[in-house]
Amino acid sequence: MRMRAVRNENGFTLLDNLISLSILSVVMLGLVGLATIVITGNATSKSRTVALTLTQDKIEDTRRSGYNYTLTANTTVTEPYNSIIGYPLFKRVTVTQVNTPGIGMQTMTVTVYWDSDAHSVTLSMLLAR
């Protein structure tokens, strides 16, 4: 006499459903974690891009003005948070050094800060007579 395996064709068991729900939950949690990382990275990139643009704008404004003959001492100009029109979350500090690196030269360094000075971007340029 031959025995045949009996198959249950009524549907999925409770155990099958719990296993599939567990696997689905793990996958969904992974995707949520990935989405959070991507959103944070995009926000950081946006802030860095804005900071670089503000730094470069200041450098270009100075480049158009040219060498400042009236400067006789090193100067520091700070544009605090809420003072840059359209960019209240950024602070810009411009340092101009006279006769650096040599006589008749000026070094200008612009640093833009954001996130309560936790992050910054700096660009420098040389001007000569």
Side-chain angles (χ1 to χ4, degrees):
M1 191 174 203
R2 207 177 223 196
M3 297 198 91
R4 291 175 52 179
V6 178
R7 291 180 31 188
N8 184 359
E9 305 212 7
N10 293 334
F12 296 107
T13 65
L14 181 60
L15 183 59
D16 292 336
N17 286 329
L18 286 175
I19 291 172
S20 358
L21 187 60
S22 298
I23 292 171
L24 183 63
S25 296
V26 169
V27 169
M28 292 303 288
L29 284 174
L31 291 176
V32 168
L34 179 63
T36 303
I37 291 170
V38 168
I39 289 169
T40 303
N42 285 344
T44 302
S45 290
K46 180 181 179 186
S47 295
R48 188 175 308 277
T49 300
V50 169
L52 279 169
T53 301
L54 290 171
T55 307
Q56 191 170 359
D57 284 349
K58 191 64 166 181
I59 293 278
E60 292 300 322
D61 287 346
T62 304
R63 183 175 289 154
R64 280 190 292 276
S65 301
Y67 187 89
N68 188 349
Y69 291 95
T70 61
L71 283 181
T72 56
N74 296 343
T75 61
T76 300
V77 177
T78 300
E79 298 169 80
Y81 290 103
N82 293 315
S83 68
I84 303 172
I85 297 172
Y87 302 99
L89 303 176
F90 295 87
K91 173 177 88 171
R92 183 165 49 196
V93 178
T94 305
V95 177
T96 305
Q97 297 174 310
V98 179
N99 294 324
T100 303
I103 296 176
M105 300 177 86
Q106 294 173 348
T107 300
M108 181 180 156
T109 304
V110 180
T111 305
V112 173
Y113 298 92
W114 72 95
D115 199 16
S116 300
D117 294 355
H119 304 284
S120 66
V121 171
T122 301
L123 290 177
S124 296
M125 83 167 177
L126 294 174
L127 293 167
R129 293 185 196 185

